[in-house]
Amino acid sequence: MTILAANEFQWDYHGPMLWTAIGETLQMVLVTLVVGGLIGLVLGLALYGTRRGSMFENRIVYGVLNTVVNIVRPIPFIIFITAVRPLTLEVIGRSLGTAAAIFPMIIMCVMATSRIVEQNLVASDAGVIEAARAMGASRMHVLLRVLVPEQLAPLVLGYAFLFVGVLDMSAMAGAIGGGGLGQFALTYGYQRYNDYITWIAVAVMIVLVQVVQQLGNWLARRTLHR
Amino acid sequence: MSATPAPTTGAAPGTPIIRFTDVTKVFGRPRRGAGDKPSRRRGTTVGLPATTDGRIARTGGVVGGGGMGMVIPDGPVDVPETDPGTSSGQVRAVDGVTLEIERGEVFGVVGYSGAGKSTLVRLINALERADSGRIEVDGRDVTALGERGLRSLRADIGMVFQQFNLFSARTVAANVGYPLRLAGWSRIARRERVAELLDFVGLADKARQYPAQLSGGQKQRVGIARALATSPSILLADEATSALDPETTRDVLDLLRRANRELGLTIVVITHEMSVVQYACHRVAVMEQGRVVESGPVYSVFADPQQPATQRFIQTALHDRPGPDVVERLRERHPGRLVVVTLQETGRSSIELTAATRGLDVTANVVFGGLTEVQDRPFGSVTIELAGPGTDEAVARLAQHASITDLGTAVAPAADPRWEQGARS
């Protein structure tokens, strides 16, 4: 007789699926971080630049951007995925699968990144801005070529922090057939009472986070000259 | 460093390179898009009562302009037309200033925190925009310049800061090369110029280091090299030595003097230390509550200060005249007649006491004083105690040869008129 195979990891059965899941997770996370991170950087610069007292102070632009970010950010990601489904269908062409999961992930990542960029730039030294302006640098030059390099170390750490958030989001991609470690853990672990699978998925995620955080710390150290 | 003689004046006098005409800058006025420097915007945007002449009412109390904004008590000041204070949060950081700075001179602006001197200097390179009045720099009307015009103006005005404001993510060489990059210099030309500048400030060996690896004095040298990179004709030094110890301060001031002498640079030195003015400047303006209350050649301002604020500043540099409490202590030990004898600019380099006492039955003891150099000329005063029957005659003779202040005796004391004026410090 066969008992439901609880708490075991069968290499020939689970192994290939685990590899596929890791691949899907990395794909979702990296695409999201690169695309969302870049757009988020631009949005963050816009937020910082148009803030009250900042170089491009503009109450209307800041008000709009700030409100949009504030509206999107608190929505639980699992709800957000389903809420933007029509838009996903429009942009990606499908509402299921890995690509369909990446779209809402990018939007959420843009919002989170923009806040991290804004916060880090707000913390920059006003004296440095003044010095660059006194030398005749344009406002855009100060923003892109002075402030971003000056705040590079905290920005790098911010992106490492984002990685964890994006990894978290990717786990929920399973809800719309996005695959990845989250779906693997839920489908073959939780739903089949196989805790081993869940724990293995968790362990892989922990390792991923550790590696990325170490990488971030190392990069930040390299760029921090204080 | 040795006290090498300061240049009297580097270039032909009488040719102003910077001219302020009735310039006023008010903080806290509702205003849009004028400032590009968020850190210095302060105060709240509240409506403000205008005086009858249409100008903004003066604010007593907190005066902006320096780093912190300091409370300056309203008191008996003989500053002309001191408007009554308001409680609107408005601050006239610069209040109707008219001033000329000549080409090739080192011009000092001295005042307490919040006197408006930092704002004044920032009006020169338009980091702050004036609310009214006219500012000309090298023939250009700064108040009329747009963003693009400002950038070319600023390329001709170097600036150094109290906190150095170096780019921490760039090496020393990249910091110094930054204004050259802005000016579009090629990499090779930049490298050559940076090497030259670092050599000038004595930091050739630090090119590849980061600012965090340098001492305060070294950082300021980098700041000066950076400010001099594009060979500006004006250098603004905003409390450039205030974060440095006395010895390093001397080094940095020597460097500024050398830049003035060798490069013909016009330097505007903002400071709250009169000793900096004494050592490095040709002329000085004293600021108080946004106004220039006194200005002139450093020696004559030191020799004959008109305003209480000026007198207080000079005392912080010299400590040569005894204050009321010091005199009180002196009288306990010296019951005779106390006379402050000032060494004035009369061609002599000493205070001759023998001539005043020769042939008289009088004893003269030096009980207090301080002599130093201002603009490389001896300056200061000594307080002497005269006792004996010939005292009156000795005082009369002294008065003929020098400027004296008679403090009287313990029995019949007299006050130094400067105490009265300086009392509110």
Side-chain angles (χ1 to χ4, degrees):
Chain A
M1 58 167 285
T2 44
I3 303 168
L4 195 66
N7 289 355
E8 61 176 332
F9 184 85
Q10 297 167 340
W11 274 107
D12 49 344
Y13 178 63
H14 292 118
M17 287 193 295
L18 177 63
W19 285 116
T20 310
I22 291 174
E24 286 164 345
T25 291
L26 284 178
Q27 187 196 348
M28 285 188 285
V29 170
L30 291 181
V31 171
T32 303
L33 263 184
V34 170
V35 179
L38 276 176
I39 303 173
L41 178 65
V42 174
L43 182 60
L45 288 170
L47 277 169
Y48 168 76
T50 57
R51 271 175 80 93
R52 195 174 139 190
S54 192
M55 290 178 289
F56 297 93
E57 178 174 342
N58 187 318
R59 207 171 294 180
I60 296 166
V61 173
Y62 184 78
V64 170
L65 296 180
N66 189 44
T67 309
V68 168
V69 174
N70 277 349
I71 288 172
V72 176
R73 286 250 298 144
I75 304 174
F77 187 64
I78 192 80
I79 310 289
F80 184 70
I81 291 179
T82 53
V84 295
R85 223 160 80 137
L87 192 62
T88 308
L89 199 57
E90 197 68 39
V91 176
I92 306 294
R94 325 179 249 148
S95 64
L96 290 174
T98 309
I102 288 177
F103 180 70
M105 283 173 69
I106 287 177
I107 295 181
M108 208 47 120
C109 178
V110 166
M111 303 300 161
T113 310
S114 67
R115 281 292 183 226
I116 284 173
V117 170
E118 184 192 13
Q119 281 163 16
N120 279 320
L121 291 183
V122 165
S124 53
D125 180 3
V128 165
I129 302 176
E130 185 174 43
R133 293 289 285 154
M135 283 181 260
S138 70
R139 293 176 293 180
M140 202 49 106
H141 197 283
V142 173
L143 190 62
L144 299 180
R145 307 293 293 278
V146 175
L147 291 185
V148 171
E150 283 293 302
Q151 296 301 104
L152 200 57
L155 283 175
V156 164
L157 289 175
Y159 277 98
F161 174 82
L162 271 173
F163 177 87
V164 180
V166 174
L167 190 68
D168 182 24
M169 285 196 277
S170 80
M172 286 175 243
I176 56 166
L181 285 165
Q183 187 172 20
F184 177 68
L186 285 174
T187 309
Y188 297 95
Y190 178 68
Q191 288 171 0
R192 300 194 183 177
Y193 304 100
N194 188 343
D195 291 341
Y196 278 15
I197 298 299
T198 311
W199 295 337
I200 283 169
V202 168
V204 171
M205 286 199 240
I206 289 173
V207 170
L208 276 178
V209 169
Q210 293 301 321
V211 169
V212 169
Q213 190 62 52
Q214 286 303 319
L215 192 69
N217 288 347
W218 178 77
L219 268 176
R221 255 200 319 278
R222 288 293 307 267
T223 51
L224 190 68
H225 298 289
R226 284 187 191 136
Chain B
M1 301 294 282
S2 65
T4 46
T8 37
T9 308
T15 48
I17 189 169
I18 301 168
R19 177 185 281 140
F20 283 76
T21 314
D22 196 23
V23 175
T24 293
K25 169 70 183 176
V26 180
F27 282 109
R29 174 156 37 179
R31 199 166 46 87
R32 290 224 36 93
D36 51 25
K37 190 163 55 59
S39 64
R40 308 203 71 81
R41 188 170 290 186
R42 64 178 70 77
T44 47
T45 48
V46 200
L48 67 162
T51 51
T52 44
D53 59 1
R55 298 190 308 166
I56 311 306
R58 175 188 191 80
T59 304
V62 181
V63 179
M68 319 197 27
M70 178 182 168
V71 176
I72 295 179
D74 284 338
V77 202
D78 42 354
V79 173
E81 35 171 12
T82 304
D83 303 332
T86 70
S87 55
S88 63
Q90 299 297 316
V91 173
R92 306 201 99 184
V94 172
D95 191 359
V97 167
T98 296
L99 192 68
E100 279 186 359
I101 296 171
E102 284 163 17
R103 191 178 294 277
E105 74 174 336
V106 181
F107 190 91
V109 180
V110 70
Y112 294 109
S113 304
K117 53 197 193 302
S118 269
T119 308
L120 184 81
V121 79
R122 278 166 175 75
L123 290 167
I124 296 171
N125 60 357
L127 285 173
E128 298 288 358
R129 307 306 296 264
D131 290 313
S132 69
R134 188 178 160 88
I135 303 157
E136 285 158 273
V137 175
D138 215 357
R140 284 167 290 197
D141 181 2
V142 174
T143 41
L145 289 178
E147 172 77 17
R148 200 171 293 265
L150 281 182
R151 269 184 259 158
S152 82
L153 171 84
R154 287 169 179 168
D156 195 37
I157 304 177
M159 189 165 186
V160 288
F161 305 87
Q162 178 171 7
Q163 296 304 327
F164 324 123
N165 292 351
L166 299 179
F167 305 128
S168 64
R170 293 171 202 254
T171 61
V172 166
N175 264 280
V176 176
Y178 178 79
L180 300 173
R181 271 177 72 154
L182 286 177
W185 288 45
S186 75
R187 181 193 292 260
I188 296 155
R190 280 205 312 259
R191 192 181 305 163
E192 205 168 302
R193 176 75 177 139
V194 167
E196 196 181 304
L197 288 157
L198 288 179
D199 205 45
F200 183 77
V201 300
L203 289 176
D205 55 327
K206 305 286 184 195
R208 301 173 80 89
Q209 301 208 351
Y210 285 90
Q213 295 165 273
L214 304 179
S215 70
Q218 290 170 333
K219 283 180 192 166
Q220 196 57 292
R221 285 161 177 273
V222 175
I224 291 170
R226 186 175 67 172
L228 296 179
T230 52
S231 307
S233 45
I234 299 168
L235 180 72
L236 309 176
D238 182 14
E239 299 277 11
T241 59
S242 299
L244 305 175
D245 62 62
E247 200 174 326
T248 317
T249 293
R250 183 57 65 100
D251 289 350
V252 166
L253 291 179
D254 281 333
L255 179 58
L256 290 179
R257 280 169 33 147
R258 192 151 61 88
N260 167 253
R261 204 166 50 233
E262 293 177 14
L263 311 174
L265 196 66
T266 306
I267 305 182
V268 183
V269 173
I270 300 290
T271 184
H272 64 271
E273 296 167 302
M274 205 62 180
S275 56
V276 168
V277 171
Q278 177 194 352
Y279 186 69
C281 298
H282 302 121
R283 291 199 304 143
V284 62
V286 182
M287 280 193 81
E288 196 173 37
Q289 300 195 17
R291 292 168 187 238
V292 171
V293 294
E294 185 162 0
S295 69
V298 169
Y299 193 92
S300 44
V301 169
F302 266 77
D304 189 18
Q306 300 299 312
Q307 298 291 330
T310 316
Q311 288 164 6
R312 289 199 304 275
F313 269 116
I314 290 167
Q315 278 311 303
T316 61
L318 295 183
H319 307 288
D320 64 324
R321 298 177 76 92
D325 47 339
V326 174
V327 169
E328 206 163 299
R329 283 195 293 276
L330 286 175
R331 292 200 206 281
E332 287 170 13
R333 280 169 288 144
H334 304 284
R337 184 134 159 213
L338 297 178
V339 178
V340 181
V341 186
T342 306
L343 181 61
Q344 290 281 17
E345 187 187 3
T346 50
R348 60 179 72 197
S349 63
S350 61
I351 297 171
E352 206 176 324
L353 297 176
T354 34
T357 54
R358 185 167 295 136
L360 297 174
D361 185 9
V362 65
T363 58
N365 297 315
V366 174
V367 296
F368 197 84
L371 296 177
T372 182
E373 274 192 326
V374 174
Q375 283 284 288
D376 307 306
R377 282 174 284 181
F379 184 87
S381 68
V382 291
T383 303
I384 56 173
E385 179 204 24
L386 294 167
T391 296
D392 285 346
E393 173 64 14
V395 171
R397 284 191 200 172
L398 272 174
Q400 282 173 3
H401 296 291
S403 163
I404 67 162
T405 306
D406 191 351
L407 298 175
T409 61
V411 184
D416 185 340
R418 293 191 188 186
W419 296 347
E420 200 73 19
Q421 292 169 306
R424 86 193 182 84
S425 57

